[in-house]
Amino acid sequence: MSDVKNILLVGVGGQGTILVGKILSTGLMDAGYDVKMSEVHGMAQRGGSVSNQVRYGKKVYSPIIDKGQADILVSFETMEALRWLEYLSPKGKAVVNDYRIPSAPILMGKNDYPEGVLEIIKSKVPTTVIKAAEVAKEVGNGRTMNIVLFGALVKGMKLTDINWEEAIRQNVKTGMADINIKAFNAGLALVD
Amino acid sequence: MKKLLTGNEAVALGALEAGISYASAYPGTPSTEILENLAEYKDEVIAEWAPNEKVAFECVIGASVAGARTLFAAKMVGVNVAADPLFSFAYSGVNGGMMLVSADDPGLHSSQNEQDNRNYAKFAKIAMLEPANSQECKDMVKTAMEISEKFDTPILFRMTTRVCHSKSLVEIGEAVKPTKKPYVKNLQKYDLVPANARHLHVKVEERLKKLEAFSNETELNYIEWNNKKVGVIAAGVAYQYAKEVFGENASYLKIGFSYPLPMAKIKAFAAEVETLYVVEELEPFMEEQIKAAGIHCIGKEKITNIWELTPDIVGKALLGETRPVIDYDLSVVPNRPPTLCAGCPHRGFFYELAKLKNVMITGDIGCYSLGGSDPLNAKDSTIDMGASISMGHGAQKIFNRFNENMRTISTIGDSTFFHTGINSLMHVVYNRSNTITCILDNRITGMTGHQENPGSGFTLQGMPTTIIEIEPLVKALGIKHVRTVNPLNLKELKEAFTWALELDEPSVIITRWPCVLKKQSEADKKEFGNYFGKCVVETDKCIGCKACIKTGCPALQFNKGTKKVKIDESQCVGCEVCKQVCPVKAIKRVGE
Ligand SMILES: Cc1ncc(C[n+]2csc(CCOP(=O)(O)OP(=O)(O)O)c2C)c(N)n1
């Protein structure tokens, strides 16, 4: 079981973590891995904190990732990375989008958006910080932010051998495939 | 061919491969997608949303008796609503095969309690299957149909959130053309008057004995021999967690057919292993039966019955193993609770409602449950679907009897009103109370992801249908005082509350405006027009009073530094609720 890898995607309802989970698991499946994926439905989608968990290897049992178990944490929003950091293995790494979505208590002025999130995470694990919104805009469509992050994830997990273009084509609308592939490649280039 | 499917998608596919031709349900997380997926196969399956689970279950009984293979699905609390027909159908038995999916929610991801519905199988004395991954979800549907028809029993098909909503690989089979058995009139079987039912009970007990023999034989309950120091009995996702924890270091009795339990097989397994663990989520359903059979095992004394399990919880409980985690201060991260969307028609309603004094606000279940959260805080209770109206009535009667200056206001969504609110409102009229019932009609079933309902004009399979209008319906129930208002208009709301509070008879206020996320029908477009737009704050006019912030709109942000509010244009849809509450008219609609 030690060959099973754990990828944790987190963000805010509506940010497109589910699509990335889909593309990721399609590609892994086509590459011959056993794959399990868990996602959150229902209430939490209304602007709440969401996670999407992908596990792959020769044989996967549990569909969920436990605390301290993720090999990589990809956070689509900055402070969500800190909320879910306890799920990352101390030997894992983080990809964090430098992109803030204030939650309700912050919007109401009850809490402040926490400062120094990136520094805390960097002090614990190897961390790649990405301004995915800006990259997506440069690519030509701000809504491909999630796919930029996906590119960074693929590089971070050394999964570049898989045919991701095909996996993207299978999961997005035909007219959107090219721009998403462009965003994916831009994301790939952000991690070395 | 292999596909990556959720358990729910796999059940729908399994239904197709098993020749199921009728399915009915009321939505409820985590079961909803079963019917949504089945609905796609219009040529093979009749798939319907019922107004509630009892109705759905009875429709399925009818289809089974007529000779079709059938499926019912509900979240676990939905099975409570269908419990009455369930217990008696357990006596009559089936004609065409019948399975009821109970989608339980350990961990209460989106439910109001954490009940373990495996107990229904034992209580109703019917067979139970428990898939542990998506492949089993698909395959077991066909098995369920065969067992149901062979043993003349409804099947409880028990899933949990992690089985319903996690994806795993499924080998796809062949869809079959549904056929039906002939309908044969048989009063001794289907007419549960006492004279018949008395004899049927005898049959039910005989059936249980046959089912237990089957349980001991079937490959659905299988042993994996490894190290015999530890033996594990597990079913469903708990089996996956046990495998994750023990790997090859334990032997397993994997239970797929979980009621009646294969007690002879369990006895034989127990005799071979040194320590026997029963790993199960929630209640000691298997453990109690195994212990009652005189077999020693370890279960709930080590593994909690509260919330969902994870491999780590099982590992810690049974092996004392813990995994290193990153040490940091999680408390610096503010919460991110779910909120009503920007432009949600429920917002203005709760904003005005919160201002009323001496009221008890009985809530119900749906997106509008969030009307009780910060900063709206306009709710006193949520118990179960439909309860807002009947609880409100009971409370009002007592306030009146003891001369307390209190009024109850019941808040209920359109889908919830159709579900079980109608009976409650009938009670209010019949028993002469003066409650105020507010029906929040956003033209769709919002919370569970936009399912059609009797008021929306379409069926699950997309057929246009008669719209059941709420206003004439409540009038027909005998409500004399009804007002329909636009919930984006705060003045209209306020006037309606004042009007209702002055009445000594029961009244109904219907707020009618579509869910902001709803894909509008032609009828919606005609009725509501294109109202979408944007609002902005004129910064120099804003005095930083935060009145607008008290609406809880996620598009509004208060900047502590500048003491001004800003509207996030990517979220704002121009509902203008904030514009109406601003005391200095600092918010305007773009283009006005
Ligand atoms: C007995 C039962 N069945 C189903 C559910 C799941 N459920 C909760 S709210 C809801 C729909 C609410 O729709 P509506 O009343 O129209 O309110 P909205 O979310 O649109 O505001 C459903 C299906 C439940 N909690 N209990």
Side-chain angles (χ1 to χ4, degrees), chain A residues 25 29 37 41 46 55 62 66 80 82-83 101 103 110 112 124, chain B residues 4 33 166-167 169 244 310 312 327-328 334-336 339 374 446:
Chain A
S25 36
M29 181 182 74
M37 168 170 131
H41 292 227
R46 306 263 172 270
R55 309 191 71 220
S62 166
D66 263 305
E80 288 309 311
L82 203 53
R83 188 187 316 283
I101 302 178
S103 67
K110 291 200 168 171
D112 291 315
K124 304 289 181 187
Chain B
L4 196 63
E33 301 84 6
S166 62
K167 291 194 175 185
L169 295 175
E244 194 79 31
T310 71
D312 277 6
D327 179 37
Y328 69 106
N335 283 340
R336 192 183 291 280
T339 54
D374 227 10

PDB file of all heavy atoms in Angstrom, chain A residues 25 29 37 41 46 55 62 66 80 82-83 101 103 110 112 124, chain B residues 4 33 166-167 169 244 310 312 327-328 334-336 339 374 446:
ATOM      1  N   SER A  25      -8.105  12.373 -12.422  1.00  0.00           N
ATOM      2  CA  SER A  25      -8.382  10.950 -12.285  1.00  0.00           C
ATOM      3  C   SER A  25      -8.568  10.278 -13.646  1.00  0.00           C
ATOM      4  O   SER A  25      -8.207   9.118 -13.816  1.00  0.00           O
ATOM      5  CB  SER A  25      -9.568  10.700 -11.356  1.00  0.00           C
ATOM      6  OG  SER A  25     -10.530  11.676 -11.487  1.00  0.00           O
ATOM      7  N   MET A  29      -6.259   7.124 -14.576  1.00  0.00           N
ATOM      8  CA  MET A  29      -6.928   5.880 -14.927  1.00  0.00           C
ATOM      9  C   MET A  29      -6.410   5.387 -16.277  1.00  0.00           C
ATOM     10  O   MET A  29      -6.058   4.213 -16.429  1.00  0.00           O
ATOM     11  CB  MET A  29      -8.436   6.116 -14.981  1.00  0.00           C
ATOM     12  CG  MET A  29      -9.248   4.896 -15.306  1.00  0.00           C
ATOM     13  SD  MET A  29     -10.997   5.297 -15.415  1.00  0.00           S
ATOM     14  CE  MET A  29     -11.060   6.151 -16.968  1.00  0.00           C
ATOM     15  N   MET A  37     -11.460   8.678  -5.844  1.00  0.00           N
ATOM     16  CA  MET A  37     -11.574  10.125  -5.670  1.00  0.00           C
ATOM     17  C   MET A  37     -12.801  10.428  -4.826  1.00  0.00           C
ATOM     18  O   MET A  37     -13.844   9.812  -4.996  1.00  0.00           O
ATOM     19  CB  MET A  37     -11.722  10.739  -7.061  1.00  0.00           C
ATOM     20  CG  MET A  37     -12.133  12.173  -7.056  1.00  0.00           C
ATOM     21  SD  MET A  37     -11.979  12.812  -8.731  1.00  0.00           S
ATOM     22  CE  MET A  37     -13.555  13.587  -8.915  1.00  0.00           C
ATOM     23  N   HIS A  41     -20.304  17.248  -1.743  1.00  0.00           N
ATOM     24  CA  HIS A  41     -21.524  17.724  -2.399  1.00  0.00           C
ATOM     25  C   HIS A  41     -22.392  18.458  -1.377  1.00  0.00           C
ATOM     26  O   HIS A  41     -22.106  18.461  -0.204  1.00  0.00           O
ATOM     27  CB  HIS A  41     -22.343  16.542  -2.919  1.00  0.00           C
ATOM     28  CG  HIS A  41     -21.704  15.800  -4.041  1.00  0.00           C
ATOM     29  ND1 HIS A  41     -22.384  15.451  -5.173  1.00  0.00           N
ATOM     30  CD2 HIS A  41     -20.447  15.339  -4.207  1.00  0.00           C
ATOM     31  CE1 HIS A  41     -21.564  14.801  -5.981  1.00  0.00           C
ATOM     32  NE2 HIS A  41     -20.397  14.708  -5.420  1.00  0.00           N
ATOM     33  N   ARG A  46     -22.185  25.894  -1.136  1.00  0.00           N
ATOM     34  CA  ARG A  46     -22.642  27.282  -1.115  1.00  0.00           C
ATOM     35  C   ARG A  46     -21.577  28.200  -0.518  1.00  0.00           C
ATOM     36  O   ARG A  46     -21.740  28.716   0.569  1.00  0.00           O
ATOM     37  CB  ARG A  46     -23.925  27.402  -0.298  1.00  0.00           C
ATOM     38  CG  ARG A  46     -25.014  26.485  -0.744  1.00  0.00           C
ATOM     39  CD  ARG A  46     -25.993  27.183  -1.670  1.00  0.00           C
ATOM     40  NE  ARG A  46     -26.930  26.247  -2.245  1.00  0.00           N
ATOM     41  CZ  ARG A  46     -26.726  25.590  -3.392  1.00  0.00           C
ATOM     42  NH1 ARG A  46     -25.606  25.771  -4.083  1.00  0.00           N
ATOM     43  NH2 ARG A  46     -27.619  24.752  -3.855  1.00  0.00           N
ATOM     44  N   ARG A  55      -6.621   9.543  -4.833  1.00  0.00           N
ATOM     45  CA  ARG A  55      -5.615   8.575  -4.406  1.00  0.00           C
ATOM     46  C   ARG A  55      -5.362   7.631  -5.574  1.00  0.00           C
ATOM     47  O   ARG A  55      -6.296   7.193  -6.230  1.00  0.00           O
ATOM     48  CB  ARG A  55      -6.115   7.777  -3.189  1.00  0.00           C
ATOM     49  CG  ARG A  55      -6.634   8.654  -2.053  1.00  0.00           C
ATOM     50  CD  ARG A  55      -6.860   7.829  -0.782  1.00  0.00           C
ATOM     51  NE  ARG A  55      -5.604   7.429  -0.208  1.00  0.00           N
ATOM     52  CZ  ARG A  55      -5.352   6.232   0.338  1.00  0.00           C
ATOM     53  NH1 ARG A  55      -6.310   5.311   0.371  1.00  0.00           N
ATOM     54  NH2 ARG A  55      -4.165   5.940   0.827  1.00  0.00           N
ATOM     55  N   SER A  62      -9.017   2.842   0.713  1.00  0.00           N
ATOM     56  CA  SER A  62      -9.808   3.966   1.232  1.00  0.00           C
ATOM     57  C   SER A  62      -9.969   5.060   0.181  1.00  0.00           C
ATOM     58  O   SER A  62      -9.007   5.440  -0.477  1.00  0.00           O
ATOM     59  CB  SER A  62      -9.118   4.547   2.458  1.00  0.00           C
ATOM     60  OG  SER A  62      -9.692   5.796   2.763  1.00  0.00           O
ATOM     61  N   ASP A  66      -6.342  10.823   5.024  1.00  0.00           N
ATOM     62  CA  ASP A  66      -6.345  11.176   6.448  1.00  0.00           C
ATOM     63  C   ASP A  66      -5.390  12.332   6.726  1.00  0.00           C
ATOM     64  O   ASP A  66      -4.566  12.702   5.891  1.00  0.00           O
ATOM     65  CB  ASP A  66      -5.923   9.960   7.275  1.00  0.00           C
ATOM     66  CG  ASP A  66      -7.118   9.205   7.826  1.00  0.00           C
ATOM     67  OD1 ASP A  66      -7.953   9.836   8.496  1.00  0.00           O
ATOM     68  OD2 ASP A  66      -7.204   7.985   7.598  1.00  0.00           O
ATOM     69  N   GLU A  80      -7.164  28.784   2.611  1.00  0.00           N
ATOM     70  CA  GLU A  80      -7.621  27.390   2.642  1.00  0.00           C
ATOM     71  C   GLU A  80      -6.419  26.442   2.765  1.00  0.00           C
ATOM     72  O   GLU A  80      -6.530  25.353   3.332  1.00  0.00           O
ATOM     73  CB  GLU A  80      -8.448  27.046   1.401  1.00  0.00           C
ATOM     74  CG  GLU A  80      -9.827  27.687   1.380  1.00  0.00           C
ATOM     75  CD  GLU A  80     -10.629  27.459   2.652  1.00  0.00           C
ATOM     76  OE1 GLU A  80     -10.713  26.307   3.107  1.00  0.00           O
ATOM     77  OE2 GLU A  80     -11.146  28.443   3.217  1.00  0.00           O
ATOM     78  N   LEU A  82      -3.915  26.804   4.622  1.00  0.00           N
ATOM     79  CA  LEU A  82      -3.598  26.673   6.046  1.00  0.00           C
ATOM     80  C   LEU A  82      -4.662  25.832   6.771  1.00  0.00           C
ATOM     81  O   LEU A  82      -4.350  25.046   7.655  1.00  0.00           O
ATOM     82  CB  LEU A  82      -3.503  28.069   6.668  1.00  0.00           C
ATOM     83  CG  LEU A  82      -2.685  28.195   7.938  1.00  0.00           C
ATOM     84  CD1 LEU A  82      -1.285  27.619   7.753  1.00  0.00           C
ATOM     85  CD2 LEU A  82      -2.595  29.652   8.382  1.00  0.00           C
ATOM     86  N   ARG A  83      -5.916  25.987   6.353  1.00  0.00           N
ATOM     87  CA  ARG A  83      -6.973  25.194   6.966  1.00  0.00           C
ATOM     88  C   ARG A  83      -6.716  23.691   6.767  1.00  0.00           C
ATOM     89  O   ARG A  83      -6.955  22.894   7.649  1.00  0.00           O
ATOM     90  CB  ARG A  83      -8.334  25.559   6.350  1.00  0.00           C
ATOM     91  CG  ARG A  83      -9.520  24.907   7.070  1.00  0.00           C
ATOM     92  CD  ARG A  83     -10.855  25.128   6.370  1.00  0.00           C
ATOM     93  NE  ARG A  83     -11.099  26.483   5.899  1.00  0.00           N
ATOM     94  CZ  ARG A  83     -11.459  27.497   6.670  1.00  0.00           C
ATOM     95  NH1 ARG A  83     -11.630  27.315   7.951  1.00  0.00           N
ATOM     96  NH2 ARG A  83     -11.638  28.690   6.160  1.00  0.00           N
ATOM     97  N   ILE A 101      -9.942  34.787  -1.231  1.00  0.00           N
ATOM     98  CA  ILE A 101     -11.403  34.936  -1.251  1.00  0.00           C
ATOM     99  C   ILE A 101     -11.829  35.067   0.213  1.00  0.00           C
ATOM    100  O   ILE A 101     -11.764  34.107   0.969  1.00  0.00           O
ATOM    101  CB  ILE A 101     -12.101  33.721  -1.889  1.00  0.00           C
ATOM    102  CG1 ILE A 101     -11.594  33.494  -3.317  1.00  0.00           C
ATOM    103  CG2 ILE A 101     -13.618  33.923  -1.886  1.00  0.00           C
ATOM    104  CD1 ILE A 101     -12.201  32.278  -4.008  1.00  0.00           C
ATOM    105  N   SER A 103     -13.838  35.031   3.525  1.00  0.00           N
ATOM    106  CA  SER A 103     -15.030  34.279   3.932  1.00  0.00           C
ATOM    107  C   SER A 103     -15.997  35.214   4.656  1.00  0.00           C
ATOM    108  O   SER A 103     -15.656  36.359   4.967  1.00  0.00           O
ATOM    109  CB  SER A 103     -14.635  33.111   4.831  1.00  0.00           C
ATOM    110  OG  SER A 103     -14.140  33.594   6.054  1.00  0.00           O
ATOM    111  N   LYS A 110     -15.704  40.846  11.060  1.00  0.00           N
ATOM    112  CA  LYS A 110     -15.558  40.185  12.372  1.00  0.00           C
ATOM    113  C   LYS A 110     -14.165  39.604  12.547  1.00  0.00           C
ATOM    114  O   LYS A 110     -13.669  39.478  13.665  1.00  0.00           O
ATOM    115  CB  LYS A 110     -16.586  39.061  12.511  1.00  0.00           C
ATOM    116  CG  LYS A 110     -17.986  39.592  12.629  1.00  0.00           C
ATOM    117  CD  LYS A 110     -18.918  38.580  13.235  1.00  0.00           C
ATOM    118  CE  LYS A 110     -20.222  39.278  13.600  1.00  0.00           C
ATOM    119  NZ  LYS A 110     -21.274  38.408  13.992  1.00  0.00           N
ATOM    120  N   ASP A 112     -10.101  39.250  10.553  1.00  0.00           N
ATOM    121  CA  ASP A 112      -9.244  39.754   9.486  1.00  0.00           C
ATOM    122  C   ASP A 112      -8.786  38.578   8.650  1.00  0.00           C
ATOM    123  O   ASP A 112      -8.672  37.456   9.158  1.00  0.00           O
ATOM    124  CB  ASP A 112      -8.018  40.456  10.078  1.00  0.00           C
ATOM    125  CG  ASP A 112      -8.425  41.747  10.756  1.00  0.00           C
ATOM    126  OD1 ASP A 112      -9.228  42.484  10.156  1.00  0.00           O
ATOM    127  OD2 ASP A 112      -7.951  42.003  11.882  1.00  0.00           O
ATOM    128  N   LYS A 124       7.183  25.154   6.841  1.00  0.00           N
ATOM    129  CA  LYS A 124       6.905  23.758   7.198  1.00  0.00           C
ATOM    130  C   LYS A 124       7.262  22.776   6.087  1.00  0.00           C
ATOM    131  O   LYS A 124       7.745  21.677   6.363  1.00  0.00           O
ATOM    132  CB  LYS A 124       5.403  23.577   7.517  1.00  0.00           C
ATOM    133  CG  LYS A 124       4.864  24.493   8.595  1.00  0.00           C
ATOM    134  CD  LYS A 124       5.382  24.110   9.960  1.00  0.00           C
ATOM    135  CE  LYS A 124       4.802  25.038  11.023  1.00  0.00           C
ATOM    136  NZ  LYS A 124       5.421  24.804  12.340  1.00  0.00           N
TER     137      LYS A 124
ATOM    138  N   LEU B   4     -14.512   5.586 -14.494  1.00  0.00           N
ATOM    139  CA  LEU B   4     -14.404   6.049 -13.118  1.00  0.00           C
ATOM    140  C   LEU B   4     -15.753   6.652 -12.720  1.00  0.00           C
ATOM    141  O   LEU B   4     -16.166   7.661 -13.263  1.00  0.00           O
ATOM    142  CB  LEU B   4     -13.302   7.105 -13.044  1.00  0.00           C
ATOM    143  CG  LEU B   4     -12.760   7.454 -11.678  1.00  0.00           C
ATOM    144  CD1 LEU B   4     -12.096   6.250 -11.040  1.00  0.00           C
ATOM    145  CD2 LEU B   4     -11.755   8.588 -11.783  1.00  0.00           C
ATOM    146  N   GLU B  33     -28.134  11.885  -6.942  1.00  0.00           N
ATOM    147  CA  GLU B  33     -27.653  11.644  -8.312  1.00  0.00           C
ATOM    148  C   GLU B  33     -28.065  10.288  -8.865  1.00  0.00           C
ATOM    149  O   GLU B  33     -27.915  10.042 -10.064  1.00  0.00           O
ATOM    150  CB  GLU B  33     -26.119  11.779  -8.376  1.00  0.00           C
ATOM    151  CG  GLU B  33     -25.576  13.139  -7.954  1.00  0.00           C
ATOM    152  CD  GLU B  33     -25.417  13.265  -6.442  1.00  0.00           C
ATOM    153  OE1 GLU B  33     -25.617  12.254  -5.728  1.00  0.00           O
ATOM    154  OE2 GLU B  33     -25.117  14.367  -5.969  1.00  0.00           O
ATOM    155  N   SER B 166     -17.814   8.836  -3.679  1.00  0.00           N
ATOM    156  CA  SER B 166     -16.433   8.681  -4.112  1.00  0.00           C
ATOM    157  C   SER B 166     -16.429   7.886  -5.403  1.00  0.00           C
ATOM    158  O   SER B 166     -17.302   7.073  -5.665  1.00  0.00           O
ATOM    159  CB  SER B 166     -15.563   8.059  -3.026  1.00  0.00           C
ATOM    160  OG  SER B 166     -16.009   6.784  -2.723  1.00  0.00           O
ATOM    161  N   LYS B 167     -15.430   8.193  -6.212  1.00  0.00           N
ATOM    162  CA  LYS B 167     -15.343   7.541  -7.522  1.00  0.00           C
ATOM    163  C   LYS B 167     -14.330   6.416  -7.477  1.00  0.00           C
ATOM    164  O   LYS B 167     -13.266   6.566  -6.873  1.00  0.00           O
ATOM    165  CB  LYS B 167     -14.883   8.549  -8.574  1.00  0.00           C
ATOM    166  CG  LYS B 167     -15.902   9.610  -8.877  1.00  0.00           C
ATOM    167  CD  LYS B 167     -15.544  10.360 -10.138  1.00  0.00           C
ATOM    168  CE  LYS B 167     -16.654  11.338 -10.478  1.00  0.00           C
ATOM    169  NZ  LYS B 167     -16.439  12.025 -11.733  1.00  0.00           N
ATOM    170  N   LEU B 169     -13.079   2.675 -10.047  1.00  0.00           N
ATOM    171  CA  LEU B 169     -13.180   2.098 -11.392  1.00  0.00           C
ATOM    172  C   LEU B 169     -14.275   1.049 -11.471  1.00  0.00           C
ATOM    173  O   LEU B 169     -14.430   0.216 -10.585  1.00  0.00           O
ATOM    174  CB  LEU B 169     -11.843   1.475 -11.781  1.00  0.00           C
ATOM    175  CG  LEU B 169     -10.697   2.480 -11.917  1.00  0.00           C
ATOM    176  CD1 LEU B 169      -9.385   1.773 -12.195  1.00  0.00           C
ATOM    177  CD2 LEU B 169     -11.003   3.459 -13.037  1.00  0.00           C
ATOM    178  N   GLU B 244      -6.994  -0.872   4.562  1.00  0.00           N
ATOM    179  CA  GLU B 244      -5.970   0.176   4.574  1.00  0.00           C
ATOM    180  C   GLU B 244      -5.095   0.044   5.825  1.00  0.00           C
ATOM    181  O   GLU B 244      -3.894   0.223   5.779  1.00  0.00           O
ATOM    182  CB  GLU B 244      -6.690   1.537   4.563  1.00  0.00           C
ATOM    183  CG  GLU B 244      -5.843   2.725   4.257  1.00  0.00           C
ATOM    184  CD  GLU B 244      -5.545   2.899   2.766  1.00  0.00           C
ATOM    185  OE1 GLU B 244      -6.377   2.525   1.929  1.00  0.00           O
ATOM    186  OE2 GLU B 244      -4.453   3.405   2.478  1.00  0.00           O
ATOM    187  N   THR B 310     -12.451   6.870   9.680  1.00  0.00           N
ATOM    188  CA  THR B 310     -11.409   7.019   8.669  1.00  0.00           C
ATOM    189  C   THR B 310     -10.424   5.904   8.969  1.00  0.00           C
ATOM    190  O   THR B 310     -10.465   5.328  10.069  1.00  0.00           O
ATOM    191  CB  THR B 310     -10.666   8.376   8.774  1.00  0.00           C
ATOM    192  OG1 THR B 310      -9.855   8.351   9.965  1.00  0.00           O
ATOM    193  CG2 THR B 310     -11.612   9.556   8.832  1.00  0.00           C
ATOM    194  N   ASP B 312      -7.440   6.193   9.828  1.00  0.00           N
ATOM    195  CA  ASP B 312      -6.664   6.575  11.012  1.00  0.00           C
ATOM    196  C   ASP B 312      -7.422   6.306  12.309  1.00  0.00           C
ATOM    197  O   ASP B 312      -6.824   5.905  13.307  1.00  0.00           O
ATOM    198  CB  ASP B 312      -6.269   8.057  10.942  1.00  0.00           C
ATOM    199  CG  ASP B 312      -5.018   8.258  10.101  1.00  0.00           C
ATOM    200  OD1 ASP B 312      -4.552   7.254   9.501  1.00  0.00           O
ATOM    201  OD2 ASP B 312      -4.515   9.391  10.030  1.00  0.00           O
ATOM    202  N   ASP B 327       2.784  20.495  12.648  1.00  0.00           N
ATOM    203  CA  ASP B 327       2.339  21.188  13.847  1.00  0.00           C
ATOM    204  C   ASP B 327       2.226  22.693  13.559  1.00  0.00           C
ATOM    205  O   ASP B 327       3.211  23.320  13.176  1.00  0.00           O
ATOM    206  CB  ASP B 327       3.369  20.906  14.958  1.00  0.00           C
ATOM    207  CG  ASP B 327       2.993  21.616  16.238  1.00  0.00           C
ATOM    208  OD1 ASP B 327       1.783  21.683  16.529  1.00  0.00           O
ATOM    209  OD2 ASP B 327       3.914  22.117  16.922  1.00  0.00           O
ATOM    210  N   TYR B 328       1.039  23.240  13.683  1.00  0.00           N
ATOM    211  CA  TYR B 328       0.858  24.686  13.483  1.00  0.00           C
ATOM    212  C   TYR B 328      -0.429  25.122  14.154  1.00  0.00           C
ATOM    213  O   TYR B 328      -1.215  24.296  14.617  1.00  0.00           O
ATOM    214  CB  TYR B 328       0.838  25.025  11.982  1.00  0.00           C
ATOM    215  CG  TYR B 328      -0.392  24.523  11.254  1.00  0.00           C
ATOM    216  CD1 TYR B 328      -1.406  25.392  10.853  1.00  0.00           C
ATOM    217  CD2 TYR B 328      -0.549  23.167  10.970  1.00  0.00           C
ATOM    218  CE1 TYR B 328      -2.538  24.928  10.193  1.00  0.00           C
ATOM    219  CE2 TYR B 328      -1.673  22.694  10.316  1.00  0.00           C
ATOM    220  CZ  TYR B 328      -2.661  23.577   9.930  1.00  0.00           C
ATOM    221  OH  TYR B 328      -3.784  23.121   9.288  1.00  0.00           O
ATOM    222  N   PRO B 334      -9.830  31.885   9.866  1.00  0.00           N
ATOM    223  CA  PRO B 334     -11.259  32.133  10.118  1.00  0.00           C
ATOM    224  C   PRO B 334     -12.119  31.063   9.446  1.00  0.00           C
ATOM    225  O   PRO B 334     -11.718  30.469   8.452  1.00  0.00           O
ATOM    226  CB  PRO B 334     -11.516  33.491   9.457  1.00  0.00           C
ATOM    227  CG  PRO B 334     -10.175  34.092   9.239  1.00  0.00           C
ATOM    228  CD  PRO B 334      -9.212  32.966   9.089  1.00  0.00           C
ATOM    229  N   ASN B 335     -13.309  30.844   9.985  1.00  0.00           N
ATOM    230  CA  ASN B 335     -14.243  29.888   9.397  1.00  0.00           C
ATOM    231  C   ASN B 335     -14.646  30.302   7.992  1.00  0.00           C
ATOM    232  O   ASN B 335     -14.568  31.471   7.634  1.00  0.00           O
ATOM    233  CB  ASN B 335     -15.531  29.839  10.226  1.00  0.00           C
ATOM    234  CG  ASN B 335     -15.310  29.043  11.478  1.00  0.00           C
ATOM    235  OD1 ASN B 335     -14.372  28.249  11.564  1.00  0.00           O
ATOM    236  ND2 ASN B 335     -16.160  29.273  12.458  1.00  0.00           N
ATOM    237  N   ARG B 336     -15.134  29.285   7.261  1.00  0.00           N
ATOM    238  CA  ARG B 336     -15.732  29.609   5.961  1.00  0.00           C
ATOM    239  C   ARG B 336     -17.071  28.875   5.878  1.00  0.00           C
ATOM    240  O   ARG B 336     -17.203  27.849   5.212  1.00  0.00           O
ATOM    241  CB  ARG B 336     -14.799  29.209   4.822  1.00  0.00           C
ATOM    242  CG  ARG B 336     -15.223  29.780   3.475  1.00  0.00           C
ATOM    243  CD  ARG B 336     -14.332  29.321   2.346  1.00  0.00           C
ATOM    244  NE  ARG B 336     -12.989  29.849   2.374  1.00  0.00           N
ATOM    245  CZ  ARG B 336     -12.636  31.070   1.961  1.00  0.00           C
ATOM    246  NH1 ARG B 336     -13.545  31.892   1.484  1.00  0.00           N
ATOM    247  NH2 ARG B 336     -11.372  31.461   2.015  1.00  0.00           N
ATOM    248  N   THR B 339     -22.923  30.188   2.764  1.00  0.00           N
ATOM    249  CA  THR B 339     -23.760  31.387   2.877  1.00  0.00           C
ATOM    250  C   THR B 339     -24.817  31.366   1.774  1.00  0.00           C
ATOM    251  O   THR B 339     -24.669  30.655   0.789  1.00  0.00           O
ATOM    252  CB  THR B 339     -22.923  32.669   2.668  1.00  0.00           C
ATOM    253  OG1 THR B 339     -22.226  32.549   1.427  1.00  0.00           O
ATOM    254  CG2 THR B 339     -21.919  32.877   3.782  1.00  0.00           C
ATOM    255  N   ASP B 374     -25.486  33.806  11.109  1.00  0.00           N
ATOM    256  CA  ASP B 374     -24.967  35.151  11.137  1.00  0.00           C
ATOM    257  C   ASP B 374     -24.899  35.711   9.715  1.00  0.00           C
ATOM    258  O   ASP B 374     -24.502  34.982   8.834  1.00  0.00           O
ATOM    259  CB  ASP B 374     -23.545  35.073  11.714  1.00  0.00           C
ATOM    260  CG  ASP B 374     -23.324  36.111  12.776  1.00  0.00           C
ATOM    261  OD1 ASP B 374     -24.310  36.747  13.193  1.00  0.00           O
ATOM    262  OD2 ASP B 374     -22.171  36.279  13.176  1.00  0.00           O
ATOM    263  N   GLY B 446     -33.749  24.052  -4.354  1.00  0.00           N
ATOM    264  CA  GLY B 446     -32.429  24.681  -4.460  1.00  0.00           C
ATOM    265  C   GLY B 446     -31.301  23.898  -3.830  1.00  0.00           C
ATOM    266  O   GLY B 446     -30.322  23.530  -4.487  1.00  0.00           O
TER     267      GLY B 446
END
